[in-house]
Amino acid sequence: MDCVYFDGAGNVQQAGNLLTLWYPRITVLYGIEHGIALFFKDISTFPVVKDVIYRRNRLYMVFGYGVYHSSHAIFQDKAKQFNNGKKIGLLRASPTRMAGYFYAFARDLRCRRALVATKADHNFINRKDKRDLSST
């Protein structure tokens, strides 16, 4: 027996129904990802996790998105140095995606050395778009 798992979105359920027409021996199950997403959503309501998510969003705003252009550019150069010439940046987390912030936390850990090197870089310390980044 073959099983295929989908989330509970209507268009995805329709795709599952189409699969059963083409492959009548499969079983299509729905809702597994939704249950996991609800678990991570519940964890995200704890005050300490909310605080970590807030700080993580600030980190992304400064280094991952380009709002602070010079900070972002310096981080991209450092990330390339620490990842064998490949620019591995921070992930944009979405509260509507399954465990989005927790995936982003894992990427932040992967980019930790590049972030530390960015904050110690002479160009970062003396950049023109200085704003208060002490809490980042």
Side-chain angles (χ1 to χ4, degrees):
M1 177 168 81
D2 295 318
C3 287
V4 181
Y5 296 97
F6 290 108
D7 69 6
N11 58 344
V12 177
Q13 288 183 10
Q14 184 63 29
N17 292 336
L18 290 173
L19 277 176
T20 59
L21 292 175
W22 292 326
Y23 304 100
R25 297 184 68 174
I26 68 169
T27 301
V28 178
L29 301 172
Y30 303 103
I32 301 297
E33 293 85 357
H34 184 68
I36 295 169
L38 290 175
F39 170 75
F40 282 106
K41 182 181 176 187
D42 289 346
I43 290 173
S44 299
T45 62
F46 297 146
V48 68
V49 177
K50 277 185 176 180
D51 185 53
V52 171
I53 289 172
Y54 171 78
R55 291 172 188 272
R56 196 270 161 204
N57 285 341
R58 275 207 34 104
L59 180 81
Y60 179 77
M61 182 182 71
V62 174
F63 297 108
Y65 183 61
V67 172
Y68 297 75
H69 177 72
S70 63
S71 303
H72 175 71
I74 295 166
F75 169 70
Q76 286 297 309
D77 289 340
K78 297 296 179 186
K80 190 174 179 181
Q81 290 173 9
F82 284 100
N83 293 292
N84 299 322
K86 196 174 187 181
K87 289 184 182 176
I88 306 250
L90 303 177
L91 293 176
R92 180 176 182 210
S94 171
T96 60
R97 302 301 301 166
M98 181 182 97
Y101 287 112
F102 298 92
Y103 287 128
F105 293 151
R107 176 65 66 88
D108 296 346
L109 288 174
R110 180 175 182 182
C111 294
R112 183 181 183 281
R113 293 184 308 154
L115 288 165
V116 170
T118 300
K119 286 195 79 168
D121 188 89
H122 180 281
N123 293 323
F124 177 78
I125 294 168
N126 296 319
R127 69 198 179 284
K128 289 182 182 178
D129 68 345
K130 271 192 177 178
R131 297 179 192 163
D132 180 26
L133 303 178
S134 59
S135 65
T136 307

